[in-house]
Every structure is written in structure tokens, then in C-alpha cells.
Amino acid sequence: MELVVLIAAGLGASFAALFGAFMLRGARAPVEDEPTPGARPRENRVEMFVSDGVLVDATPQARQLLDCAPNERLIWEDLAEVLRTHFPAFPETLPNTRQTLAAAGDPDTHLGIRPEGRSLRLSMTGPSLDAGEYLRLRTEMRDLSRLRLAFARAPFPVWQTDRARGVVWNNPAFTDIALQAGHAEHGSSPFAVLPNEAEELHISRTSIGQRDGGPQSWFEVQSYRLADGWLHFAQNIDAVIHAEATQRNFLQTLTRIFAHLPIALAVFDRDRRLILFNPALIDHTNLPAEFLSSRPNLLSFFDMLREKQMMPEPKDYRSWRDKLSEVIAAASSDLYTEVWNLPSGLTYRITGRPHPDGGVAFLFEDITSEITLTRRFRQEIEVTQSVLDRLGDAVAVFSQLGTLTFCNQAYRDMWGLDPDASLADTGIADATGAWQADCKPSPIWADLRDFVMTERDRAGWDAELVRKDGQCLLTRIEPLTGGPTLVRFSATPAAAQTAPRARETARETARV
């Protein structure tokens, strides 16, 4: 955009130099038709001949000033539009008296108007132009041609306004937009731009409606202060406005969705400002809604949590704040998870997640019920284990897949086995193998393995085992709810009396 401003400044300077050259090259040429000694040739003078309000003849320099073709005929209003820029007193209608007009800001340059019947002769005179100025003028004329072509082809509107905010110059792109908006080609601007007089640069957004009722177009306008007004550049930002509207709608949709989530959510942008939160955050943290709506930064957010006692009190809070950047970095990398045990007895799980465009999101999940249930369940397991460890019988429980899931201390002592000493699971085949190796031959091992692995309805049964040291064991195999199997070993001499009958019962059950 700065390059465009420099081009525009060069355009104005070149145009001014070109106009001055047109006037200077007149070199006080006499208005008479007859050449006089020392006068410049006619083609180097700025003269125009008007008949019945129409330009019928002009020197080449005059046509360059008017920017018209050699055979083009202009009416008096066209001449007035061009010449009044340099000669403010140029008459609006055809004069009937001889006049001499001074150029604005150049008292040495004059425009003479001399009536000749129904015709008028206009002659421009001024100081002589030396060779150096003439060469510089030729260079600036070439630059002016390029600049005019560049602004004529520019796809964005460019225009200049005076101190009264009237349009004094514009490019074709500005004209097209003004006509589409129903504005006159010259005069007022369709862009509602009101820069402050104390500013050197003013950037604003404005919309322009269509004359046919079509959708509005949005533009970002950059206005640069000039000595006599403002130079404006407009760029269409419809795509930006549409993207922002889409983002707002998406954010509103997310807000409605997050409003029903039980997990508290706080999203911070790349500047670490809170941009999104849901009602659950107010419920979980007791932070005031006014505070959250004021878009606090991340440090202020955690300071308020500490003040409300909604986070564990660090031993050294100042050092913790210094480490907050590490927490943010971990959250940005999706590596931050922490459990807060609050003084109130609540337990929160805090999770950090990266957010698009360099932001970060924190999730606050109340896991008090989950932690309480887990602790209670763990306590019940510990109590159950303690009770079974005090039993004299050896007890082992196998899952429906044949994996040892539980055993008591008596089982470990009886068989010299410790399932917790190995990372591998102990299966029913491994367990029966160890039992069989420590007992005298018995036909129940295959039946026992089949009973543990079967999925049909089962009935409990007993069997007798005799260890190699002569100890008699009464083995009770009982199905449990859900499919597991309980195997209990009782050391008793009386087991020998019931063993034959129990063994026959077990075999019949297995066959069924």
C-alpha cells in the first residue's frame, strides 16, 4: 500500500509539472494569427479556438492539456471542467468580453480569452522554459503516462478528496463502484469514510449497497493525509467479512453445545485471553460470570482460582507462576494432565489441550464421585482379601477363561506358589500342573480343567487328594455367579471316608 501512495504522489507531481510545462511552453505567445519576430511556432503554443461553444481548433500542446484527440470536438462545459482546475475564475458560460485570468498559485501564468464575433480565442502565456526544465519535463511526461496507465488498470478504488470531503480525483475502479451504488460519477463518495483531522493515517471498514438491491460489499479503506485533503485506497474484504461471520456462527454453535457439557471448559487465544467458556466453568470454579466475561488473561484466571480456593495451594506460589509457562507449553503439546485435590474435598482432573491458532484450552472435570467409588471399591477389596487371608482353607478363584484371578495366603503357603511374583497370568493348566506334581496320582485333573472352562450350567462337587507327604485334602469345586470357579482345599483326615463317593459324583457331573 505504501508503494501505491508513492505512485499516487508521483502521479500528482508529474501531472502538475506537465500542466506547468503546457503553460510555460506558450512563452507569452501573442494571440494574433500573424507570426511576430521571436515568437514560438504555433504548434508549441497553447491556443484554442471556440466557435458556437464548440472547440473547433487547437494547437497540439492545447490538445495534450485537454487530453483529447486531434479531431475531437469538446463543448464549453468540457473545457471549463479542465481549465477551471487551474484557473478557478474560468467562466461557466461563453463570455462576450475580453478577459485575462491568472493561474492558481502561479501569478506569472495567464489565460487570455478574446471574443471574435461568435467565436472565442483562448491563449495561454507564461515564463520561458529553459533546456534543462524541458528535458526534465519530457522524463516526467513518460512517468506520468505509466502512472496514469497503472491507476487506470488498478483493480481497487483510489480517489482523492479535498478539505470539504468532495471527490477531486478518482480512478476507473472507483467510478464503477460509485455507479453500481447509485452515486454520481463526480462529487460525493459512496464510501462512508470520515478520517480524524489529527490523524496521518486512518483505517476503517465500510459497506456499500447495490443500486439494484444486491448484497452489500465490504471494503477496508486506508486514508492518508495530504496537504489539501486525503488520498484513499479501498480493498474489498468480502471474503474476510464472510470468514469472520462464519467464525462467529461456529463459535455460537460451539457455545450452545458446550452449555450442556458437564465438563468445564476455558479456551484462551494466542494472547492468553479467555475467549470461550461454558456455564459448567462457573459451577465448578465459583468464578464470577462478570470476571470471566471480561476476558481475563491466563495468569489472572489462575490467580482468581487460587483466591477462591479452587486449586491446591502451592508451597511457593511465585515459583509456580513462573512455571506456568511450562504448563502452557505442555498444554499446547497435549501433554498436560493433573489431578487437584481441593480443601473442600472435591477432586478435579485438569487437562490441557492445544487450540487452533496458537491458543490453549483447559478442561475441568469433577471426578469426586469416581475417586470416591474407586477408593471404596479398593477398600472393600482390601477387607475381603484380609478376611480370606485369615481362613485356614486354601482358596483360589479362576475366571471363565481359566485365569487365576484371586488366591489367599493359605493357598500360597500350601502350594508354595505366589502368582504376584510373575507378570504372566497363571492359567488353570499351570495351576493343576503344580497341584498334580505335589499329589499322588488322581483322575480328577482333566475333569477339573473341563469344569473351569465350560460355559454351561454347572453344579459344585467334591474330590479327595492325597499329597505325597501323606496329607489328605478335601477339594471343593464350586461355580460362582458370572462364570468364575472357586477351588478350595481343606486339610482334614475325615476326607478319606467321603472321597470315593465324591469322586463318583464328580465324574457323573462332568459327563453330563
Side-chain angles (χ1 to χ4, degrees):
M1 189 61 74
E2 293 180 357
L3 178 61
V4 177
V5 175
L6 294 176
I7 293 175
L11 176 61
S14 301
F15 186 79
L18 178 62
F19 169 71
F22 286 146
M23 296 187 291
L24 293 175
R25 293 186 66 181
R28 296 191 180 279
V31 296
E32 291 80 4
D33 292 335
E34 297 80 5
T36 58
R40 294 182 182 269
R42 181 177 182 272
E43 58 273 11
N44 289 337
R45 293 181 291 172
V46 182
E47 292 190 354
M48 293 159 278
F49 188 75
V50 178
S51 177
D52 292 331
V54 178
L55 177 67
V56 296
D57 192 14
T59 62
Q61 295 294 344
R63 290 196 177 274
Q64 288 186 16
L65 175 62
L66 298 174
D67 193 19
C68 65
N71 298 325
E72 186 177 357
R73 294 196 172 190
L74 305 179
I75 62 176
W76 182 260
E77 287 76 8
D78 297 331
L79 297 177
E81 181 179 355
V82 176
L83 297 178
R84 191 175 293 115
T85 304
H86 313 289
F87 300 93
F90 192 85
E92 297 182 1
T93 59
L94 293 171
N96 52 17
T97 58
R98 186 167 183 169
Q99 300 180 15
T100 300
L101 308 178
D106 187 4
D108 296 331
T109 301
H110 299 84
L111 176 64
I113 303 177
R114 188 179 69 182
E116 296 180 356
R118 298 177 57 183
S119 303
L120 289 173
R121 183 182 297 273
L122 287 72
S123 301
M124 198 174 299
T125 59
S128 299
L129 182 66
D130 58 31
E133 292 177 334
Y134 177 74
L135 292 177
R136 182 170 58 84
L137 172 64
R138 293 289 300 272
T139 302
E140 291 180 348
M141 288 178 62
R142 288 193 295 269
D143 293 341
L144 175 63
S145 178
R146 297 189 188 98
L147 292 173
R148 293 180 64 182
L149 179 62
F151 276 95
R153 298 292 188 271
F156 51 87
V158 183
W159 71 101
Q160 182 180 349
T161 56
D162 55 19
R163 295 184 182 277
R165 306 189 188 280
V167 178
V168 297
W169 174 85
N170 60 268
N171 69 340
F174 175 90
T175 302
D176 295 340
I177 292 178
L179 294 177
Q180 293 175 9
H183 281 247
E185 184 176 355
H186 303 286
S188 62
S189 170
F191 296 90
V193 179
L194 298 174
N196 193 326
E197 294 298 331
E199 295 178 314
E200 294 295 329
L201 169 63
H202 179 77
I203 300 178
S204 59
R205 287 185 176 184
T206 182
S207 61
I208 297 180
Q210 303 294 325
R211 180 174 54 186
D212 57 359
Q216 289 186 333
S217 297
W218 281 89
F219 292 85
E220 181 179 88
V221 181
Q222 298 190 15
S223 305
Y224 296 84
R225 174 182 290 282
L226 301 178
D228 56 350
W230 293 84
L231 184 63
H232 310 273
F233 301 87
Q235 183 177 6
N236 186 278
I237 56 171
D238 285 342
V240 176
I241 296 297
H242 177 71
E244 291 177 352
T246 302
Q247 184 181 19
R248 285 193 300 269
N249 294 336
F250 180 68
L251 190 61
Q252 292 175 359
T253 302
L254 288 181
T255 302
R256 288 192 293 267
I257 295 174
F258 294 153
H260 302 285
L261 288 179
I263 301 176
L265 176 68
V267 180
F268 296 84
D269 60 14
R270 64 166 62 184
D271 298 325
R272 304 299 179 250
R273 289 281 180 181
L274 182 64
I275 59 172
L276 177 65
F277 65 92
N278 62 346
L281 184 65
I282 301 176
D283 298 336
H284 286 12
T285 63
N286 295 327
L287 296 181
E290 296 79 7
F291 170 75
L292 297 175
S293 300
S294 64
R295 299 188 61 193
N297 59 35
L298 200 54
L299 289 177
S300 300
F301 178 79
F302 279 101
D303 284 341
M304 183 62 72
L305 285 179
R306 175 174 175 265
E307 181 179 339
K308 294 289 186 179
Q309 297 184 345
M310 296 307 299
M311 63 176 293
E313 183 67 25
K315 296 180 180 180
D316 186 358
Y317 186 72
R318 178 173 299 179
S319 63
W320 187 90
R321 288 192 61 179
D322 294 338
K323 294 181 180 178
L324 186 59
S325 58
E326 300 177 5
V327 174
I328 298 173
S332 301
S333 303
D334 201 8
L335 299 175
Y336 178 72
T337 301
E338 196 169 85
V339 175
W340 289 358
N341 295 309
L342 305 182
S344 61
L346 298 176
T347 304
Y348 285 167
R349 180 189 293 122
I350 314 302
T351 306
R353 292 287 183 266
H355 190 263
D357 199 22
V360 62
F362 287 93
L363 290 80
F364 297 79
E365 184 178 2
D366 187 355
I367 58 173
T368 305
S369 300
E370 176 183 342
I371 294 297
T372 302
L373 181 61
T374 301
R375 290 172 180 171
R376 185 180 303 165
F377 181 67
R378 184 181 299 115
Q379 183 179 10
E380 291 178 355
I381 291 178
E382 292 174 353
V383 171
T384 302
Q385 180 73 49
S386 178
V387 170
L388 293 178
D389 285 343
R390 282 163 173 75
L391 294 178
D393 294 345
V395 176
V397 178
F398 293 87
S399 68
Q400 195 168 8
L401 298 177
T403 302
L404 178 64
T405 60
F406 182 83
C407 66
N408 63 351
Q409 187 62 41
Y411 174 86
R412 293 182 175 90
D413 297 338
M414 176 179 290
W415 299 107
L417 301 176
D418 187 4
D420 297 334
S422 175
L423 296 178
D425 293 333
T426 301
I428 184 62
D430 301 326
T432 55
W435 302 339
Q436 186 175 1
D438 197 43
C439 295
K440 294 180 179 181
S442 175
I444 73 167
W445 305 116
D447 296 339
L448 177 58
R449 287 191 289 268
D450 293 341
F451 185 86
V452 171
M453 301 294 293
T454 187
E455 296 182 358
R456 61 175 181 263
D457 293 339
R458 301 170 298 171
W461 53 282
D462 298 340
E464 179 203 31
L465 292 175
V466 180
R467 302 185 68 176
K468 290 182 178 181
D469 59 2
Q471 182 184 23
C472 295
L473 298 177
L474 176 61
T475 305
R476 299 183 183 276
I477 299 93
E478 300 179 7
L480 300 179
T481 303
T485 302
L486 172 67
V487 180
R488 185 174 61 179
F489 301 94
S490 302
T492 171
Q497 301 178 2
T498 60
R501 181 163 44 88
R503 185 160 48 251
E504 292 297 326
T505 303
R507 291 174 180 175
E508 292 178 1
T509 302
R511 293 191 189 97
V512 175

